[in-house]
């Protein structure tokens, strides 16, 4: 049954010996001093649900009834109408007996806060599997995402979206409880179950996409988007880029958006589905050092001509990212070819492209009437992460040209550009770091540990990763970003936050080390494409 008291978190042996456990991980020191290997701790679900059987339920009811009688004797006659606290009948589910509290309060509606305490308010016995709660949990995680809520209302019974909810929720719960689970059998069982749900989700998506209208189904688009977020939970982004499922899913999002065309962008429903998916596609371009989809100008131009309230800042940031990814892809190509002449020829154009795009965003923020309502922290951080990427590549280009003797751009101009790039990167990095308390503060303070904080944490992973792995950010900024990423990985269960170790692109030495600077001053970004 759901725990209504405070279940012991002590290890198995300390609970059996009835001694105080120090809760050390992976094993407690009390067991070490006792001379045995610590057997580990109960899993998280055991702290939320307790198996029951008819005899234990009968004993529990008898104790509850006796306690109720004692309370009635101590109260005045006017208080005899109080509600009984006796648990409801137990129900069998897959061989496991679960007891629900009978206090008559309703289950939370989709999108409302859904925590373990909410499970104690069921007013009647329910014969149901845990998967019946996966949709409410995922809607709680994405409580601010209207497009997902609208789709689940329509496709609430079956289809790929429901399997995706089971996969995502099971992964989230597993990640949260994993630090206190040391049994290999339990971990293997979790992986088998997750593999089953992943297979069913992918199979349902593939089947749907075989239909000519499959790409036009909102539930299919939402499922692929959830799969991309699922890969962040399991931390697959650190694999080689061509094999990374996260990259494959984001490319799948692009393929579906391309197939759907522009007609859907003229409807409110199509627009709310477009933005989360397109933002994910743009992040993939930033991460992989590639350009945004070639259809981006058409899509964003149509949105600009038919702008909805609250879309202004999102539009301008998205336009900036398209320009930024174009600049970084061109510079990366020049550096890999070691083409000094072309680098000199395109140097000023690349700088002007990025500067003009940045100016457009700044002018919108300064002149747009009441634009603050649509400037949320997520889009600001996405903008500043693009600033970090774009100007770090301009920095690489300036470093590269310091080694080109015939270059018409003077050394003083190149060094001045390096200074500008360092300032831009570090200012952007500081904004991202400063936004951490607002984004993760309630969770860090212990005030809010509900699933909805997961979405806020997921949105912080890429910006913090950019701060952490780009060499031009300050050491203290990297340190703060690393601390926040570790917190997101361990406390929120987003494994990708623990998978952000920097690596180096295969770039020429001239780009990594400018002429005339000591090796210790090397500030180039150790960026990988995976």
């Amino acid at each position: 049954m759901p725990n209504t008291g405070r279940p012991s978190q002590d290890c198995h042996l300390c609970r059996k010996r009835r001694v105080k456990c120090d809760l050390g991980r992976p094993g407690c020191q009390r067991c070490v001093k006792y001379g045995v290997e610590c057997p580990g701790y109960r899993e998280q679900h055991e702290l939320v649900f307790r198996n029951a059987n008819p005899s234990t339920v009968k004993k529990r009811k008898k104790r509850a009834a006796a306690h109720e009688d004692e309370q009635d004797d101590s109260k005045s006659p006017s208080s005899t109408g109080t509600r009984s606290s006796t648990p409801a009948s137990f129900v069998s589910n897959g061989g496991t007996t679960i007891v629900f509290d009978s206090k008559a309060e309703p289950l939370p509606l989709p999108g409302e806060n859904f925590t373990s305490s909410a499970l104690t308010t069921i007013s009647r016995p329910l014969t149901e599997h845990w998967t019946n709660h996966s949709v409410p949990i995922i809607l709680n995680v994405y409580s601010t995402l209207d497009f997902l809520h609208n789709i689940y209302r329509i496709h609430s019974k079956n289809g790929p979206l429901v399997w995706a909810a089971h996969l995502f929720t099971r992964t989230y719960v597993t990640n949260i409880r994993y630090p206190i689970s040391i049994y290999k059998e339990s971990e293997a069982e979790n992986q088998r179950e997750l593999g089953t749900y992943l297979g069913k989700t992918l199979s349902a998506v593939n089947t749907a996409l075989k239909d000519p209208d499959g790409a036009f189904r909102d539930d299919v688009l939402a499922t692929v988007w959830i799969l991309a977020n699922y890969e962040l939970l399991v931390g697959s982004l650190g694999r080689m880029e061509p094999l990374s499922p996260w990259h494959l899913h984001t490319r799948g999002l692009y393929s579906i958006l391309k197939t759907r065309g522009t007609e859907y962008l003229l409807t409110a429903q199509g627009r709310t589905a477009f933005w989360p998916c397109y933002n994910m596609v743009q992040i993939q371009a930033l991460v992989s050092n590639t350009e945004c989809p070639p259809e981006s100008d058409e899509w964003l131009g149509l949105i600009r001509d038919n702008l909805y309230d609250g879309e202004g800042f999102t539009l301008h940031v998205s336009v900036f990212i398209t320009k930024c990814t174009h600049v970084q892809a061109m510079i990366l190509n020049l550096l890999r070819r070691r083409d000094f002449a072309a680098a000199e020829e395109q140097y000023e154009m690349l700088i002007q492209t990025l500067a003009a795009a940045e100016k457009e965003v700044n002018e919108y923020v300064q002149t747009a009437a009441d634009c603050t309502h649509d400037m949320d922290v997520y889009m600001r951080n996405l903008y500043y992460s693009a600033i970090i990427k774009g100007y770090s590549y301009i920095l690489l280009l300036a470093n590269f040209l310091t080694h080109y003797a015939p270059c018409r751009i003077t050394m003083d101009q190149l060094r001045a550009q390096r200074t500008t790039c360092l300032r831009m990167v570090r200012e952007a990095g500081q904004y991202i770091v400063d936004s951490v308390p607002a984004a993760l503060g309630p969770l860090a303070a212990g005030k809010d540990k509900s699933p909805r904080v997961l979405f806020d944490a997921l949105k912080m992973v890429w910006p913090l990763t950019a701060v952490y792995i780009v060499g031009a950010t300050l050491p203290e900024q990297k340190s703060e970003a690393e601390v926040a990423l570790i917190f997101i990985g361990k406390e929120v269960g987003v494994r990708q936050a623990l998978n952000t170790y920097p690596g180096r692109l295969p770039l020429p030495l001239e780009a990594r080390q400018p002429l005339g600077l000591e090796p210790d001053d090397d500030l180039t970004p150790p960026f990988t494409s995976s």
Side-chain angles (χ1 to χ4, degrees):
M1 65 173 288
N3 275 314
T4 55
R6 295 175 61 86
S8 171
Q9 299 187 28
D10 294 352
C11 76
H12 297 295
L13 183 57
C14 288
R15 285 192 298 111
K16 183 176 180 180
R17 295 175 59 212
R18 296 183 181 276
V19 296
K20 180 68 175 176
C21 180
D22 62 16
L23 303 179
R25 298 293 191 273
C28 75
Q29 291 301 309
R30 173 79 74 168
C31 290
V32 174
K33 293 179 182 179
Y34 189 60
V36 298
E37 183 179 356
C38 179
Y41 302 86
R42 291 190 289 185
E43 296 187 6
Q44 186 67 27
H45 70 90
E46 294 178 10
L47 299 177
V48 179
F49 295 101
R50 290 177 289 186
N51 287 343
N53 56 54
S55 61
T56 58
V57 171
K58 187 179 294 184
K59 291 178 182 178
R60 193 172 293 116
K61 284 186 176 182
K62 196 175 287 186
R63 287 197 301 268
H67 178 66
E68 185 74 18
D69 291 341
E70 291 176 5
Q71 287 186 332
D72 289 344
D73 291 341
S74 64
K75 292 183 179 180
S76 62
S78 61
S79 64
T80 57
T82 20
R83 207 166 41 175
S84 170
S85 61
T86 306
S89 302
F90 64 89
V91 294
S92 180
N93 178 24
T96 301
T97 303
I98 302 174
V99 180
F100 294 97
D101 196 341
S102 62
K103 294 180 180 179
E105 295 181 17
L107 276 170
L109 296 173
E112 292 182 348
N113 191 14
F114 193 94
T115 64
S116 60
S117 62
L119 296 177
T120 67
T121 64
I122 299 178
S123 60
R124 62 188 183 281
L126 298 176
T127 305
E128 57 183 14
H129 193 263
W130 69 265
T131 51
N132 288 351
H133 301 301
S134 60
V135 171
I137 289 176
I138 198 171
L139 291 181
N140 189 287
V141 170
Y142 298 111
S143 59
T144 59
L145 209 59
D146 291 339
F147 109 91
L148 203 59
H149 286 251
N150 295 336
I151 298 170
Y152 266 112
R153 289 189 186 99
I154 300 172
H155 305 274
S156 59
K157 300 298 182 183
N158 49 45
L161 197 55
V162 175
W163 287 116
H166 300 338
L167 173 68
F168 186 92
T169 300
R170 190 70 175 91
T171 305
Y172 167 64
V173 173
T174 300
N175 285 0
I176 290 296
R177 79 182 184 181
Y178 181 75
I180 62 172
S181 172
I182 66 170
Y183 293 109
K184 292 183 179 179
E185 301 82 20
S186 175
E187 183 183 353
E189 182 181 349
N190 287 335
Q191 294 305 316
R192 283 194 297 271
E193 187 174 9
L194 290 173
T196 299
Y197 288 127
L198 177 59
K200 289 182 178 295
T201 306
L202 294 174
S203 176
V205 170
N206 290 333
T207 300
L209 289 176
K210 289 178 182 178
D211 188 284
D213 296 328
F216 298 92
R217 286 173 46 180
D218 286 345
D219 65 320
V220 174
L221 179 65
T223 298
V224 179
W225 183 82
I226 290 175
L227 283 171
N229 282 277
Y230 155 78
E231 296 298 340
L232 296 181
L233 287 185
V234 300
S236 73
L237 191 52
R239 305 178 197 170
M240 291 299 291
E241 191 270 333
L243 303 179
S244 167
W246 182 83
H247 287 277
L248 295 177
H249 293 322
T250 52
R251 289 169 185 162
L253 287 175
Y254 161 57
S255 179
I256 294 175
L257 292 177
K258 180 180 178 181
T259 302
R260 288 161 73 102
T262 58
E263 183 178 347
Y264 274 75
L265 295 179
L266 298 175
T267 66
Q269 181 178 344
R271 198 76 66 82
T272 56
F274 170 81
W275 280 122
C277 300
Y278 183 67
N279 288 156
M280 186 79 76
V281 170
Q282 288 199 308
I283 292 174
Q284 194 268 342
L286 287 169
V287 171
S288 60
N289 306 299
T290 57
E291 295 198 46
C292 288
E295 297 82 7
S296 293
D297 289 342
E298 180 184 8
W299 293 342
L300 297 178
L302 187 147
I303 291 174
R304 187 191 295 271
D305 294 337
N306 301 271
L307 200 63
Y308 290 172
D309 184 47
E311 284 187 317
F313 188 64
T314 299
L315 172 66
H316 281 78
V317 170
S318 297
V319 171
F320 175 80
I321 293 175
T322 61
K323 303 291 180 61
C324 178
T325 55
H326 173 70
V327 167
Q328 73 173 10
M330 289 192 65
I331 292 176
L332 186 59
N333 182 43
L334 291 170
L335 297 180
R336 282 176 168 169
R337 291 173 13 221
R338 297 188 79 253
D339 192 337
F340 284 100
E344 177 192 14
E345 180 182 352
Q346 298 180 32
Y347 174 78
E348 292 181 354
M349 180 272 294
L350 291 169
I351 291 176
Q352 291 171 2
T353 298
L354 192 61
E358 180 204 352
K359 181 180 178 182
E360 187 176 344
V361 176
N362 292 335
E363 287 180 348
Y364 169 78
V365 173
Q366 295 170 2
T367 62
D370 191 26
C371 68
T372 55
H373 67 285
D374 64 6
M375 292 163 53
D376 64 353
V377 174
Y378 170 61
M379 291 308 300
R380 278 183 174 269
N381 278 340
L382 192 53
Y383 168 64
Y384 284 118
S385 69
I387 287 280
I388 289 174
K389 281 300 302 287
Y391 280 96
S392 68
Y393 271 91
I394 296 293
L395 178 62
L396 286 172
L397 187 60
N399 290 345
F400 184 67
L401 287 176
T402 61
H403 296 270
Y404 186 44
C407 186
R408 58 181 174 76
I409 306 165
T410 67
M411 190 67 73
D412 287 342
Q413 289 175 318
L414 293 173
R415 287 176 174 170
Q417 185 59 55
R418 290 190 76 257
T419 301
T420 299
C421 291
L422 289 173
R423 177 179 57 82
M424 295 296 298
V425 168
R426 290 168 178 176
E427 287 179 357
Q430 192 60 46
Y431 178 87
I432 293 173
V433 168
D434 289 344
S435 71
V436 170
L440 304 178
L443 176 63
K447 296 179 180 179
D448 187 355
K449 293 192 176 181
S450 63
R452 68 171 174 264
V453 301
L454 175 59
F455 194 25
D456 294 332
L458 283 168
K459 291 186 289 188
M460 290 296 297
V461 171
W462 159 246
L464 287 170
T465 300
V467 175
Y468 178 57
I469 67 178
V470 170
T473 55
L474 293 170
E476 53 267 30
Q477 293 172 343
K478 297 180 190 299
S479 178
E480 291 184 52
E482 182 182 23
V483 169
L485 286 167
I486 291 174
F487 178 82
I488 291 172
K490 291 185 175 180
E491 297 296 326
V492 191
V494 183
R495 294 289 181 260
Q496 186 57 47
L498 304 176
N499 242 358
T500 53
Y501 303 106
R504 287 189 180 275
L505 280 169
L507 297 176
L509 179 62
E510 293 92 338
R512 293 186 279 111
Q513 177 60 54
L515 186 67
L517 293 180
E518 296 297 324
D520 291 342
D521 294 329
D522 185 0
L523 295 167
T524 51
F527 242 95
T528 65
S529 60
S530 59

